[in-house]
Amino acid sequence: MEFSPGATVLAAGNGFGKSALIKSLYDTFGADPHRIDESWRKAHVISAVDFEVAGEAYTAMKISGTYMVFDGTGQKILQTTSVTRELSPFLADLLDFRLLMTDQREQVLIPPPAYAFAPFCIDQDKSWSEPWKPFRGMYLPHSDASLAEYHSGLKPNAYYVARAERDRLSVGLREIHAQLQGLRDALEQIRSVQPEAGIYFDLKDFEAETNNLLAECSGLLDRQNAHRAKLSELIDARALWTTQIDIAKAALAELDEVFKSAIGHPADVECPTCGEHYTNDISERFGIAADTEALIGVLHQAKEQKDGLQSQIDAAQKELGEVETALSRVRAILSTRKNDVTLEEVMAAEGRNAASRVLRERVSEIESKVGALSARIEELKLAMRKSLDRKRSAAINDFFFGRLTSFSMSLDVRVESSKSGSIANAHLARGSEGPRGLTAYFYAFLQTAKEFGTSTFCPIVIDAPNQQGQDGQHLPAIISFLVKKRPESAQLILGVEDAVGITANDANIVGVGVQKRQLLDDNQFSSVSEHLRPFLAQLVL
């Protein structure tokens, strides 16, 4: 079958195989459909797709679990059974698809081909109810957001290249930090064994150990001062809240007396001094009661704050105690003096000194690596920030939401088009409006990807837009919209039961299927076999 470079509409009733044909297109490139009929699987169908990228001709072929790609002269340039390790990198280079993602094991990888084709395909089995999942195996974390940000151009190729390198180095940095902590723990264990025996045969060992202890002592003193300052702030804050509690309690007691006095007096009260009369009405009493409630709330809040501060004070005092204990230990080691030592103590001390020397050297090496890695990670973070242009991002969002609003009106659907929303989220309406809303979102995104995206714009493949019982007015409108509002120069392959709303002037309308449950034509077997034979001959080479 030949597809028009513009729009091709595959028209056939249910069971004639149009979905099997549509699923086979991107399946040939390693994007696994959600569901393939058992009869189609048992037939062991070989699929081949001729395609062009930037004017260069290629042929992709799938034979069972083997994928092959041939150049324009028919020569094999790839044969593999591994989608992840070989087919994905090959297609990524071919399509300039530079999205890199991190899997659950924190391994940076090129995502499967389904990620390159996801924005361009609406599969009948799942896509109409759950956008961004037209294929199986889209397992990587945060797939929706990553796909939307990449294909729309919000985050260009340079961003993902830098992020992938940052993530790879961050994993390595965590591993090195773990090694460093293990070495420091081992060094600490050696120091904890008879630390009073400060005996050294090598003055360099003595100097190194002393310098390390002095550095540790200095660090502990800094921590001690920081904890004391924090503790002082917490105690001052607690004192303020204690004062507020006392004030609130006093105010409550005063209001309570006023309220009791108001209740005990008649509605009309005469001033005993001047003889003036005042109204003691119910509203005044409620005002007093309201003030009381407000003060109770203030008192409750103050008590909560005081309790919270007390917990922080307890924790700070505990941390300060631990620091002071460690400081005492280091000071004790630094002040050690020995006059009489035994041979056993000398030998044990030299063994500890030799082990400490090796560990210190290793710690120094790893600390240098940590510094270099940390600096490189900061450089990559800066590169990521520089690749994100705020003006460009604003232009992309304006473009997308403008198209979404316009397309929603064309399809008679209420779609949230507020710019405060996310380009990755399709807010679908209920019932028959849902598929129309998805259509508006899908095409608004494709228009945006065409305008701002950084990778190759692929053919658009859509199956079965007649979802949720579209009526005689809306179904033709959807089909016409999909054909006429596709991005400029984009290739469209659309599968429908009835090609309503369009004419042969709008698209190449093709019937498929020989009869029900038979897509393949026996009469074409010889010509197709002859066409594929040169490719199949290279399968065993």
Side-chain angles (χ1 to χ4, degrees), residues 278-319:
Y278 296 92
T279 301
N280 180 26
D281 60 15
I282 192 69
S283 62
E284 294 292 336
R285 300 174 193 174
F286 273 123
I288 297 171
D291 291 342
T292 302
E293 291 293 330
L295 278 173
I296 291 173
V298 170
L299 181 61
H300 179 69
Q301 181 190 11
K303 286 183 176 179
E304 284 186 343
Q305 292 290 338
K306 180 183 176 183
D307 292 343
L309 286 167
Q310 185 61 53
S311 298
Q312 294 181 52
I313 288 170
D314 293 341
Q317 287 175 333
K318 181 181 178 182
E319 292 171 358

mmCIF file of all heavy atoms in Angstrom, residues 278-319:
data_model
loop_
_atom_site.group_PDB
_atom_site.id
_atom_site.type_symbol
_atom_site.label_atom_id
_atom_site.label_comp_id
_atom_site.label_asym_id
_atom_site.label_seq_id
_atom_site.Cartn_x
_atom_site.Cartn_y
_atom_site.Cartn_z
ATOM 1 N N TYR A 278 -26.686 53.295 80.423
ATOM 2 C CA TYR A 278 -26.030 52.550 79.334
ATOM 3 C C TYR A 278 -26.779 51.243 79.095
ATOM 4 O O TYR A 278 -27.317 50.651 80.023
ATOM 5 C CB TYR A 278 -24.568 52.238 79.692
ATOM 6 C CG TYR A 278 -23.720 53.481 79.838
ATOM 7 C CD1 TYR A 278 -23.571 54.093 81.084
ATOM 8 C CD2 TYR A 278 -23.095 54.029 78.722
ATOM 9 C CE1 TYR A 278 -22.803 55.238 81.222
ATOM 10 C CE2 TYR A 278 -22.324 55.185 78.859
ATOM 11 C CZ TYR A 278 -22.172 55.775 80.097
ATOM 12 O OH TYR A 278 -21.421 56.892 80.231
ATOM 13 N N THR A 279 -26.765 50.818 77.802
ATOM 14 C CA THR A 279 -27.479 49.587 77.430
ATOM 15 C C THR A 279 -26.564 48.376 77.610
ATOM 16 O O THR A 279 -25.453 48.337 77.072
ATOM 17 C CB THR A 279 -27.952 49.651 75.971
ATOM 18 O OG1 THR A 279 -28.803 50.783 75.833
ATOM 19 C CG2 THR A 279 -28.715 48.392 75.602
ATOM 20 N N ASN A 280 -27.029 47.399 78.349
ATOM 21 C CA ASN A 280 -26.291 46.137 78.550
ATOM 22 C C ASN A 280 -27.014 45.048 77.744
ATOM 23 O O ASN A 280 -27.617 44.152 78.288
ATOM 24 C CB ASN A 280 -26.254 45.800 80.049
ATOM 25 C CG ASN A 280 -25.501 44.491 80.306
ATOM 26 O OD1 ASN A 280 -24.641 44.105 79.527
ATOM 27 N ND2 ASN A 280 -25.841 43.822 81.392
ATOM 28 N N ASP A 281 -26.944 45.201 76.381
ATOM 29 C CA ASP A 281 -27.754 44.290 75.564
ATOM 30 C C ASP A 281 -26.984 43.010 75.227
ATOM 31 O O ASP A 281 -25.798 42.873 75.520
ATOM 32 C CB ASP A 281 -28.248 44.992 74.292
ATOM 33 C CG ASP A 281 -27.090 45.480 73.433
ATOM 34 O OD1 ASP A 281 -25.950 45.033 73.660
ATOM 35 O OD2 ASP A 281 -27.340 46.299 72.524
ATOM 36 N N ILE A 282 -27.696 42.112 74.557
ATOM 37 C CA ILE A 282 -27.136 40.781 74.262
ATOM 38 C C ILE A 282 -25.963 40.854 73.290
ATOM 39 O O ILE A 282 -25.029 40.057 73.345
ATOM 40 C CB ILE A 282 -28.254 39.842 73.726
ATOM 41 C CG1 ILE A 282 -27.747 38.392 73.694
ATOM 42 C CG2 ILE A 282 -28.673 40.279 72.326
ATOM 43 C CD1 ILE A 282 -27.551 37.801 75.036
ATOM 44 N N SER A 283 -25.998 41.854 72.348
ATOM 45 C CA SER A 283 -24.923 41.952 71.367
ATOM 46 C C SER A 283 -23.600 42.283 72.038
ATOM 47 O O SER A 283 -22.531 41.805 71.635
ATOM 48 C CB SER A 283 -25.262 43.014 70.315
ATOM 49 O OG SER A 283 -25.383 44.282 70.916
ATOM 50 N N GLU A 284 -23.651 43.134 73.072
ATOM 51 C CA GLU A 284 -22.435 43.460 73.803
ATOM 52 C C GLU A 284 -21.864 42.221 74.476
ATOM 53 O O GLU A 284 -20.658 41.992 74.507
ATOM 54 C CB GLU A 284 -22.726 44.537 74.852
ATOM 55 C CG GLU A 284 -23.131 45.898 74.269
ATOM 56 C CD GLU A 284 -21.979 46.547 73.539
ATOM 57 O OE1 GLU A 284 -20.812 46.211 73.849
ATOM 58 O OE2 GLU A 284 -22.218 47.373 72.648
ATOM 59 N N ARG A 285 -22.752 41.417 75.018
ATOM 60 C CA ARG A 285 -22.293 40.189 75.693
ATOM 61 C C ARG A 285 -21.653 39.221 74.691
ATOM 62 O O ARG A 285 -20.641 38.586 74.970
ATOM 63 C CB ARG A 285 -23.466 39.515 76.409
ATOM 64 C CG ARG A 285 -24.104 40.404 77.476
ATOM 65 C CD ARG A 285 -25.337 39.755 78.050
ATOM 66 N NE ARG A 285 -26.125 40.709 78.842
ATOM 67 C CZ ARG A 285 -27.320 40.430 79.358
ATOM 68 N NH1 ARG A 285 -27.860 39.246 79.166
ATOM 69 N NH2 ARG A 285 -27.968 41.336 80.052
ATOM 70 N N PHE A 286 -22.289 39.133 73.500
ATOM 71 C CA PHE A 286 -21.700 38.251 72.477
ATOM 72 C C PHE A 286 -20.343 38.775 72.010
ATOM 73 O O PHE A 286 -19.441 38.006 71.669
ATOM 74 C CB PHE A 286 -22.640 38.114 71.269
ATOM 75 C CG PHE A 286 -23.651 37.009 71.428
ATOM 76 C CD1 PHE A 286 -25.001 37.267 71.343
ATOM 77 C CD2 PHE A 286 -23.235 35.702 71.667
ATOM 78 C CE1 PHE A 286 -25.947 36.252 71.498
ATOM 79 C CE2 PHE A 286 -24.164 34.682 71.815
ATOM 80 C CZ PHE A 286 -25.526 34.957 71.735
ATOM 81 N N GLY A 287 -20.199 40.101 71.985
ATOM 82 C CA GLY A 287 -18.915 40.684 71.619
ATOM 83 C C GLY A 287 -17.834 40.282 72.599
ATOM 84 O O GLY A 287 -16.711 39.944 72.212
ATOM 85 N N ILE A 288 -18.167 40.319 73.863
ATOM 86 C CA ILE A 288 -17.212 39.893 74.890
ATOM 87 C C ILE A 288 -16.865 38.413 74.708
ATOM 88 O O ILE A 288 -15.710 37.990 74.789
ATOM 89 C CB ILE A 288 -17.779 40.153 76.301
ATOM 90 C CG1 ILE A 288 -17.995 41.663 76.513
ATOM 91 C CG2 ILE A 288 -16.853 39.587 77.368
ATOM 92 C CD1 ILE A 288 -18.751 41.983 77.789
ATOM 93 N N ALA A 289 -17.910 37.612 74.439
ATOM 94 C CA ALA A 289 -17.692 36.169 74.239
ATOM 95 C C ALA A 289 -16.808 35.913 73.019
ATOM 96 O O ALA A 289 -15.939 35.033 73.026
ATOM 97 C CB ALA A 289 -19.037 35.458 74.083
ATOM 98 N N ALA A 290 -17.017 36.697 71.947
ATOM 99 C CA ALA A 290 -16.207 36.522 70.727
ATOM 100 C C ALA A 290 -14.745 36.851 71.010
ATOM 101 O O ALA A 290 -13.831 36.166 70.549
ATOM 102 C CB ALA A 290 -16.751 37.403 69.603
ATOM 103 N N ASP A 291 -14.521 37.927 71.768
ATOM 104 C CA ASP A 291 -13.152 38.274 72.140
ATOM 105 C C ASP A 291 -12.506 37.159 72.950
ATOM 106 O O ASP A 291 -11.324 36.852 72.801
ATOM 107 C CB ASP A 291 -13.148 39.568 72.959
ATOM 108 C CG ASP A 291 -13.518 40.780 72.102
ATOM 109 O OD1 ASP A 291 -13.427 40.662 70.865
ATOM 110 O OD2 ASP A 291 -13.901 41.811 72.681
ATOM 111 N N THR A 292 -13.314 36.531 73.791
ATOM 112 C CA THR A 292 -12.810 35.416 74.596
ATOM 113 C C THR A 292 -12.380 34.254 73.706
ATOM 114 O O THR A 292 -11.320 33.657 73.895
ATOM 115 C CB THR A 292 -13.893 34.949 75.584
ATOM 116 O OG1 THR A 292 -14.265 36.056 76.419
ATOM 117 C CG2 THR A 292 -13.377 33.801 76.443
ATOM 118 N N GLU A 293 -13.219 33.932 72.697
ATOM 119 C CA GLU A 293 -12.888 32.831 71.777
ATOM 120 C C GLU A 293 -11.591 33.123 71.025
ATOM 121 O O GLU A 293 -10.754 32.237 70.827
ATOM 122 C CB GLU A 293 -14.026 32.620 70.772
ATOM 123 C CG GLU A 293 -15.299 32.058 71.372
ATOM 124 C CD GLU A 293 -15.094 30.634 71.871
ATOM 125 O OE1 GLU A 293 -14.257 29.918 71.296
ATOM 126 O OE2 GLU A 293 -15.753 30.251 72.851
ATOM 127 N N ALA A 294 -11.443 34.396 70.612
ATOM 128 C CA ALA A 294 -10.227 34.764 69.887
ATOM 129 C C ALA A 294 -8.997 34.600 70.774
ATOM 130 O O ALA A 294 -7.950 34.088 70.333
ATOM 131 C CB ALA A 294 -10.337 36.207 69.392
ATOM 132 N N LEU A 295 -9.115 35.013 72.028
ATOM 133 C CA LEU A 295 -7.982 34.875 72.949
ATOM 134 C C LEU A 295 -7.657 33.420 73.236
ATOM 135 O O LEU A 295 -6.491 33.041 73.392
ATOM 136 C CB LEU A 295 -8.284 35.612 74.258
ATOM 137 C CG LEU A 295 -8.022 37.126 74.244
ATOM 138 C CD1 LEU A 295 -8.522 37.757 75.537
ATOM 139 C CD2 LEU A 295 -6.523 37.395 74.076
ATOM 140 N N ILE A 296 -8.695 32.588 73.319
ATOM 141 C CA ILE A 296 -8.460 31.147 73.518
ATOM 142 C C ILE A 296 -7.674 30.576 72.340
ATOM 143 O O ILE A 296 -6.766 29.765 72.499
ATOM 144 C CB ILE A 296 -9.804 30.400 73.709
ATOM 145 C CG1 ILE A 296 -10.421 30.791 75.065
ATOM 146 C CG2 ILE A 296 -9.594 28.903 73.627
ATOM 147 C CD1 ILE A 296 -11.812 30.243 75.279
ATOM 148 N N GLY A 297 -8.032 31.027 71.120
ATOM 149 C CA GLY A 297 -7.296 30.576 69.942
ATOM 150 C C GLY A 297 -5.841 31.003 69.985
ATOM 151 O O GLY A 297 -4.931 30.224 69.665
ATOM 152 N N VAL A 298 -5.611 32.263 70.380
ATOM 153 C CA VAL A 298 -4.242 32.761 70.503
ATOM 154 C C VAL A 298 -3.470 31.955 71.541
ATOM 155 O O VAL A 298 -2.308 31.574 71.342
ATOM 156 C CB VAL A 298 -4.260 34.254 70.886
ATOM 157 C CG1 VAL A 298 -2.849 34.724 71.267
ATOM 158 C CG2 VAL A 298 -4.801 35.089 69.738
ATOM 159 N N LEU A 299 -4.128 31.658 72.667
ATOM 160 C CA LEU A 299 -3.485 30.889 73.736
ATOM 161 C C LEU A 299 -3.122 29.488 73.254
ATOM 162 O O LEU A 299 -2.016 28.996 73.517
ATOM 163 C CB LEU A 299 -4.431 30.806 74.947
ATOM 164 C CG LEU A 299 -3.904 30.052 76.170
ATOM 165 C CD1 LEU A 299 -2.646 30.728 76.721
ATOM 166 C CD2 LEU A 299 -4.994 29.985 77.250
ATOM 167 N N HIS A 300 -4.038 28.874 72.526
ATOM 168 C CA HIS A 300 -3.787 27.519 72.009
ATOM 169 C C HIS A 300 -2.605 27.527 71.044
ATOM 170 O O HIS A 300 -1.727 26.654 71.102
ATOM 171 C CB HIS A 300 -5.045 27.007 71.306
ATOM 172 C CG HIS A 300 -4.889 25.634 70.730
ATOM 173 N ND1 HIS A 300 -4.774 24.504 71.520
ATOM 174 C CD2 HIS A 300 -4.800 25.210 69.445
ATOM 175 C CE1 HIS A 300 -4.635 23.445 70.746
ATOM 176 N NE2 HIS A 300 -4.656 23.843 69.478
ATOM 177 N N GLN A 301 -2.577 28.519 70.130
ATOM 178 C CA GLN A 301 -1.473 28.613 69.178
ATOM 179 C C GLN A 301 -0.150 28.824 69.907
ATOM 180 O O GLN A 301 0.874 28.219 69.557
ATOM 181 C CB GLN A 301 -1.724 29.750 68.195
ATOM 182 C CG GLN A 301 -0.610 29.902 67.144
ATOM 183 C CD GLN A 301 -0.748 31.169 66.334
ATOM 184 O OE1 GLN A 301 -1.551 32.036 66.672
ATOM 185 N NE2 GLN A 301 0.037 31.284 65.285
ATOM 186 N N ALA A 302 -0.154 29.703 70.907
ATOM 187 C CA ALA A 302 1.078 29.986 71.645
ATOM 188 C C ALA A 302 1.598 28.733 72.346
ATOM 189 O O ALA A 302 2.810 28.474 72.376
ATOM 190 C CB ALA A 302 0.827 31.099 72.654
ATOM 191 N N LYS A 303 0.686 27.941 72.917
ATOM 192 C CA LYS A 303 1.111 26.702 73.585
ATOM 193 C C LYS A 303 1.709 25.720 72.575
ATOM 194 O O LYS A 303 2.707 25.045 72.857
ATOM 195 C CB LYS A 303 -0.078 26.075 74.312
ATOM 196 C CG LYS A 303 -0.472 26.812 75.593
ATOM 197 C CD LYS A 303 -1.625 26.102 76.303
ATOM 198 C CE LYS A 303 -1.970 26.781 77.636
ATOM 199 N NZ LYS A 303 -3.081 26.126 78.321
ATOM 200 N N GLU A 304 1.077 25.621 71.378
ATOM 201 C CA GLU A 304 1.620 24.725 70.348
ATOM 202 C C GLU A 304 3.023 25.152 69.929
ATOM 203 O O GLU A 304 3.928 24.323 69.782
ATOM 204 C CB GLU A 304 0.695 24.714 69.130
ATOM 205 C CG GLU A 304 -0.590 23.906 69.312
ATOM 206 C CD GLU A 304 -1.383 23.819 68.022
ATOM 207 O OE1 GLU A 304 -1.117 24.617 67.104
ATOM 208 O OE2 GLU A 304 -2.265 22.947 67.933
ATOM 209 N N GLN A 305 3.199 26.481 69.737
ATOM 210 C CA GLN A 305 4.511 26.983 69.358
ATOM 211 C C GLN A 305 5.537 26.706 70.445
ATOM 212 O O GLN A 305 6.675 26.311 70.166
ATOM 213 C CB GLN A 305 4.418 28.487 69.081
ATOM 214 C CG GLN A 305 3.611 28.866 67.848
ATOM 215 C CD GLN A 305 4.310 28.479 66.566
ATOM 216 O OE1 GLN A 305 5.521 28.311 66.541
ATOM 217 N NE2 GLN A 305 3.547 28.333 65.500
ATOM 218 N N LYS A 306 5.159 26.906 71.696
ATOM 219 C CA LYS A 306 6.085 26.680 72.801
ATOM 220 C C LYS A 306 6.474 25.206 72.876
ATOM 221 O O LYS A 306 7.653 24.869 73.063
ATOM 222 C CB LYS A 306 5.438 27.121 74.113
ATOM 223 C CG LYS A 306 6.352 26.924 75.330
ATOM 224 C CD LYS A 306 5.642 27.300 76.630
ATOM 225 C CE LYS A 306 6.527 26.998 77.841
ATOM 226 N NZ LYS A 306 5.835 27.291 79.108
ATOM 227 N N ASP A 307 5.487 24.300 72.726
ATOM 228 C CA ASP A 307 5.781 22.863 72.762
ATOM 229 C C ASP A 307 6.716 22.468 71.616
ATOM 230 O O ASP A 307 7.637 21.661 71.797
ATOM 231 C CB ASP A 307 4.482 22.060 72.681
ATOM 232 C CG ASP A 307 3.625 22.221 73.934
ATOM 233 O OD1 ASP A 307 4.173 22.675 74.971
ATOM 234 O OD2 ASP A 307 2.411 21.905 73.880
ATOM 235 N N GLY A 308 6.441 23.033 70.419
ATOM 236 C CA GLY A 308 7.310 22.725 69.288
ATOM 237 C C GLY A 308 8.730 23.197 69.509
ATOM 238 O O GLY A 308 9.698 22.488 69.196
ATOM 239 N N LEU A 309 8.866 24.397 70.055
ATOM 240 C CA LEU A 309 10.203 24.921 70.347
ATOM 241 C C LEU A 309 10.911 24.096 71.406
ATOM 242 O O LEU A 309 12.125 23.881 71.344
ATOM 243 C CB LEU A 309 10.091 26.379 70.804
ATOM 244 C CG LEU A 309 9.783 27.395 69.694
ATOM 245 C CD1 LEU A 309 9.388 28.729 70.297
ATOM 246 C CD2 LEU A 309 10.990 27.562 68.777
ATOM 247 N N GLN A 310 10.159 23.600 72.383
ATOM 248 C CA GLN A 310 10.761 22.771 73.417
ATOM 249 C C GLN A 310 11.342 21.493 72.816
ATOM 250 O O GLN A 310 12.425 21.036 73.204
ATOM 251 C CB GLN A 310 9.723 22.430 74.498
ATOM 252 C CG GLN A 310 10.302 21.675 75.685
ATOM 253 C CD GLN A 310 11.380 22.476 76.395
ATOM 254 O OE1 GLN A 310 11.165 23.615 76.784
ATOM 255 N NE2 GLN A 310 12.563 21.871 76.560
ATOM 256 N N SER A 311 10.606 20.903 71.848
ATOM 257 C CA SER A 311 11.111 19.698 71.179
ATOM 258 C C SER A 311 12.402 20.008 70.430
ATOM 259 O O SER A 311 13.357 19.213 70.455
ATOM 260 C CB SER A 311 10.053 19.163 70.204
ATOM 261 O OG SER A 311 8.881 18.791 70.892
ATOM 262 N N GLN A 312 12.433 21.175 69.754
ATOM 263 C CA GLN A 312 13.650 21.548 69.033
ATOM 264 C C GLN A 312 14.801 21.804 69.998
ATOM 265 O O GLN A 312 15.966 21.482 69.708
ATOM 266 C CB GLN A 312 13.384 22.796 68.186
ATOM 267 C CG GLN A 312 12.387 22.581 67.052
ATOM 268 C CD GLN A 312 12.181 23.849 66.232
ATOM 269 O OE1 GLN A 312 13.145 24.457 65.772
ATOM 270 N NE2 GLN A 312 10.938 24.246 66.060
ATOM 271 N N ILE A 313 14.497 22.406 71.145
ATOM 272 C CA ILE A 313 15.537 22.659 72.154
ATOM 273 C C ILE A 313 16.116 21.349 72.672
ATOM 274 O O ILE A 313 17.340 21.194 72.818
ATOM 275 C CB ILE A 313 14.952 23.496 73.313
ATOM 276 C CG1 ILE A 313 14.706 24.938 72.839
ATOM 277 C CG2 ILE A 313 15.875 23.482 74.524
ATOM 278 C CD1 ILE A 313 13.923 25.778 73.828
ATOM 279 N N ASP A 314 15.234 20.370 72.931
ATOM 280 C CA ASP A 314 15.700 19.058 73.410
ATOM 281 C C ASP A 314 16.634 18.418 72.386
ATOM 282 O O ASP A 314 17.685 17.861 72.735
ATOM 283 C CB ASP A 314 14.508 18.151 73.694
ATOM 284 C CG ASP A 314 13.675 18.654 74.877
ATOM 285 O OD1 ASP A 314 14.197 19.457 75.679
ATOM 286 O OD2 ASP A 314 12.494 18.233 74.990
ATOM 287 N N ALA A 315 16.230 18.485 71.091
ATOM 288 C CA ALA A 315 17.054 17.880 70.034
ATOM 289 C C ALA A 315 18.388 18.602 69.906
ATOM 290 O O ALA A 315 19.447 17.970 69.756
ATOM 291 C CB ALA A 315 16.300 17.929 68.702
ATOM 292 N N ALA A 316 18.362 19.938 69.993
ATOM 293 C CA ALA A 316 19.600 20.721 69.881
ATOM 294 C C ALA A 316 20.538 20.428 71.053
ATOM 295 O O ALA A 316 21.761 20.342 70.878
ATOM 296 C CB ALA A 316 19.271 22.214 69.820
ATOM 297 N N GLN A 317 19.981 20.279 72.250
ATOM 298 C CA GLN A 317 20.813 19.964 73.416
ATOM 299 C C GLN A 317 21.461 18.578 73.272
ATOM 300 O O GLN A 317 22.624 18.382 73.649
ATOM 301 C CB GLN A 317 19.969 20.031 74.689
ATOM 302 C CG GLN A 317 19.611 21.457 75.104
ATOM 303 C CD GLN A 317 18.692 21.528 76.292
ATOM 304 O OE1 GLN A 317 17.919 20.592 76.537
ATOM 305 N NE2 GLN A 317 18.740 22.639 77.039
ATOM 306 N N LYS A 318 20.692 17.647 72.702
ATOM 307 C CA LYS A 318 21.244 16.305 72.482
ATOM 308 C C LYS A 318 22.399 16.357 71.484
ATOM 309 O O LYS A 318 23.457 15.749 71.696
ATOM 310 C CB LYS A 318 20.148 15.371 71.973
ATOM 311 C CG LYS A 318 20.627 13.956 71.734
ATOM 312 C CD LYS A 318 19.489 13.073 71.211
ATOM 313 C CE LYS A 318 20.003 11.659 70.926
ATOM 314 N NZ LYS A 318 18.924 10.794 70.381
ATOM 315 N N GLU A 319 22.191 17.087 70.354
ATOM 316 C CA GLU A 319 23.249 17.210 69.351
ATOM 317 C C GLU A 319 24.472 17.911 69.938
ATOM 318 O O GLU A 319 25.619 17.525 69.657
ATOM 319 C CB GLU A 319 22.724 17.988 68.141
ATOM 320 C CG GLU A 319 21.663 17.238 67.350
ATOM 321 C CD GLU A 319 21.014 18.115 66.287
ATOM 322 O OE1 GLU A 319 21.373 19.308 66.196
ATOM 323 O OE2 GLU A 319 20.156 17.599 65.541
#
